[in-house]
Amino acid sequence: MARIALLGGTGAEGLGLALRFGIAGEDIIIGSRQQQRAEQAAQRLRTMLRDAGAPCRVDAGDNAAAVAAADTVALSLPYEGVEPTLAQLGSALAGKLVLDVVNPLVFDRGMFRILPIAAGSAGELIQQLLPRSPVVCAFKNLSAKQLLDAPQQLRGDVLLCGDHADAKRYVVDLIRRIPVLRAVDAGAIGNAQHLESITALLMNLNRRYKTSTSVEVLSLEQLDSKS
Ligand SMILES: NC(=O)c1ccc[n+]([C@@H]2O[C@H](COP(=O)([O-])OP(=O)(O)OC[C@H]3O[C@@H](n4cnc5c(N)ncnc54)[C@H](OP(=O)(O)O)[C@@H]3O)[C@@H](O)[C@H]2O)c1
């Protein structure tokens, strides 16, 4: 069991991940730029977890306090918040596993697009800014709408990537404890740009077909037999 902090845990994606991680048995710390917002979101999460029959420990704090109390820190912030947040908290994150769920998206001329990033992707930028933290990119393609619908089992694949094998093993194990998601290790962090582009495509599909799409990769039966 780990203590997972979610920076930006007051937003839909952070709260949805916190709900699923809490049901999986992890302790949660909701982080925010404002302590009071963190406490309000934590109270909402405790109610959702109690309703789901999973009363795990939930704490709240400003982002700095949340980082200090956690082993694993999820960045569930908009892309524009990444650099200022890491400029402030980068040294406190050294040695902690950082879970990156950020998609650098913009809505432009009627469709979602990926912003050009010199580092290649949000995931690579975050790893460059945090050289002393193992960064794992995951859950980028899983919608908050699905995560927050706790009575509904999630299904499909969580594509993940990163350059640190031990950190990826922890995230793969976490994903396997969320019914009935499958973890698909997509390799090195250089693949983060592809994960982020898939989200843009899914969001354009969601707009077109008025639904909430997710990802499932076929012909990876060897992963099923390992789990
Ligand atoms: N929504 C989805 O379905 C979904 C799915 C997959 C991945 N993602 C990714 O997950 C991330 C969060 O998504 P979201 O929809 O939850 O976003 P959001 O609601 O816009 O933001 C989440 C939280 O981030 C904090 N925040 C906002 N602007 C910030 C800034 N400039 N600097 C620092 N913190 C800031 C806010 O918390 P405080 O004000 O409390 O600090 C906010 O509640 C995004 O990168 C998104 O691409 C989202």
Side-chain angles (χ1 to χ4, degrees), residues 7-14 31-34 37-38 63 75-82 84-85 101-105 139-145 199:
L7 308 190
T10 53
E13 184 71 5
S32 167
R33 290 168 296 178
Q34 287 178 35
R37 275 173 58 75
N63 284 333
L75 300 181
S76 49
L77 312 163
Y79 175 66
E80 62 269 22
V82 166
T85 302
V101 309
V102 174
N103 291 301
L105 294 177
F139 298 102
K140 287 179 186 262
N141 312 130
L142 203 50
S143 82
K145 187 165 183 282
T199 308

Side-chain angles (χ1 to χ4, degrees), residues 200-218:
L201 176 63
L202 294 179
M203 290 183 70
N204 289 327
L205 289 171
N206 293 349
R207 264 174 62 80
R208 186 178 180 91
Y209 294 104
K210 312 264 178 288
T211 186
S212 177
T213 52
S214 54
V215 176
E216 205 161 12
V217 183
L218 301 180

Side-chain angles (χ1 to χ4, degrees), residues 91-165:
S91 51
L93 284 161
K96 303 193 189 243
L97 192 160
V98 171
L99 181 61
D100 156 40
V101 309
V102 174
N103 291 301
L105 294 177
V106 64
F107 189 72
D108 172 38
R109 285 166 284 156
M111 62 190 287
F112 289 95
R113 299 171 195 272
I114 292 291
L115 288 167
I117 298 177
S121 62
E124 288 161 285
L125 173 66
I126 291 166
Q127 183 64 87
Q128 280 180 15
L129 294 172
L130 299 175
R132 291 183 291 154
S133 305
V135 174
V136 180
C137 307
F139 298 102
K140 287 179 186 262
N141 312 130
L142 203 50
S143 82
K145 187 165 183 282
Q146 293 179 17
L147 288 165
L148 285 167
D149 187 7
Q152 194 65 42
Q153 261 197 358
L154 296 165
R155 57 178 282 267
D157 291 334
V158 177
L159 299 167
L160 65 129
C161 67
D163 290 343
H164 298 269

